[in-house]
Each structure stands twice: as C-alpha cells, then as structure tokens.
Amino acid sequence: VSGIMSRSVQGGTFVIRVVVAAHGNLASALVKSTAMILGSNPDVVAIDFDPEGDVHALYRSVQDATKHATGVIFLVDLLGGSPYNAAVRWCSRHLDSDVVTGVNLPMVIDVSTLAQQETHVPHAVSAAKAAGVSSVASWRTGPASRHHTVTDDR
C-alpha cells in the first residue's frame, strides 16, 4: 500500500479514503482499471489477499492503508470473507468508516469519483450500493434503457 496522502477536515466534510480489498488480485485489478478510466487517485488503494495468506498480515495492510485517513470506505468482495473481516475489525474502532460488499468496477468508479470531492462516508456508502445494484443487468431482461439493439443484416 503506497502513495497515501493525508487529508484534513474542511467544513464538516472531507475527502475519504477508498480501500478496495479482495481475494486474489481482484482489488489491484479494480483499482488499476479505475485509474485507466479516471486517472490515478492516491486516496483509492488496493489490498489483495492471497487465500493462503496470513490474516494478521492482511489486518496490518488495512492499518497501513488507512493511516492518517479521516474517513474510510472499504469495498470488499465477499460478505464474511477475510478482507471483509479485517475491514470490519478496523471499522469497529473508527466511527467514520464503513464496509460495502460485492465490489464491482462501476462501484469503484463511482466511489472514487466521490473520493476526489468533499463528502461524508454515509453518502459514499449509498453511492457504492446504488452503483453496485444498478450496474447489474441482463441484456435480455434488464431495463429498457440498458437494452442494446442488435441488427440482423440478412
């Protein structure tokens, strides 16, 4: 975990730290893909957890990722998984924080955009949940606005 900046509280809101934590290399891939779209943001960090890894080392990574943060939102892959448990453990000691499960790329993009602005953690949580849900669609059964027309040139 590198490139983390300290931010100060301004007018009751502040720039939040976004920590994406997941099994395997998913977190790094999501943060890297987000940077491809939005540009790099030092307040959006990845923690990858090797399933054969040490949960104590995972928690130390969480502590490193959240140093000097005034507000933190964790975006994790699985409810009840090791990254989730480490994030919840950290959040239980820090009031201005929360954990959202089911991380996907639209969720990271939306919350990363908010992380560049002054916002509150509960607002970022709402945005993460909305992006996570609204980005799941089926081409056949999704909302009409999500349907793509395929033409047959026979």
Side-chain angles (χ1 to χ4, degrees):
V1 181
S2 62
I4 298 171
M5 297 172 47
S6 173
R7 302 287 177 106
S8 60
V9 176
Q10 300 171 354
T13 59
F14 45 80
V15 178
I16 60 171
R17 174 87 32 82
V18 179
V19 179
V20 182
H23 293 83
N25 296 322
L26 178 60
S28 288
L30 288 169
V31 170
K32 185 176 180 179
S33 296
T34 300
M36 286 175 54
I37 296 165
L38 299 178
S40 183
N41 180 344
D43 284 311
V44 179
V45 297
I47 299 175
D48 292 321
F49 178 62
D50 178 352
E52 303 297 321
D54 175 10
V55 293
H56 301 294
L58 175 62
Y59 187 70
R60 285 190 300 277
S61 294
V62 166
Q63 290 175 311
D64 290 344
T66 55
K67 271 188 186 149
H68 310 296
T70 52
V72 176
I73 181 170
F74 290 90
L75 305 176
V76 303
D77 55 352
L78 296 171
L79 177 68
S82 295
Y84 171 84
N85 292 335
V88 166
R89 179 178 169 199
W90 189 89
C91 288
S92 70
R93 295 174 174 89
H94 300 86
L95 293 178
D96 220 355
S97 61
D98 206 346
V99 183
V100 178
T101 61
V103 66
N104 61 26
L105 186 57
M107 184 187 293
V108 180
I109 290 169
D110 283 8
V111 175
S112 296
T113 300
L114 283 175
Q116 295 175 346
Q117 307 166 16
E118 293 184 13
T119 191
H120 294 281
V121 170
H123 178 67
V125 168
S126 294
K129 290 167 63 176
V133 170
S134 68
S135 66
V136 176
S138 163
W139 173 77
R140 293 199 185 278
T141 61
S145 64
R146 297 242 163 126
H147 284 260
H148 297 283
T149 303
V150 177
T151 58
D152 187 358
D153 294 336
R154 285 190 243 185

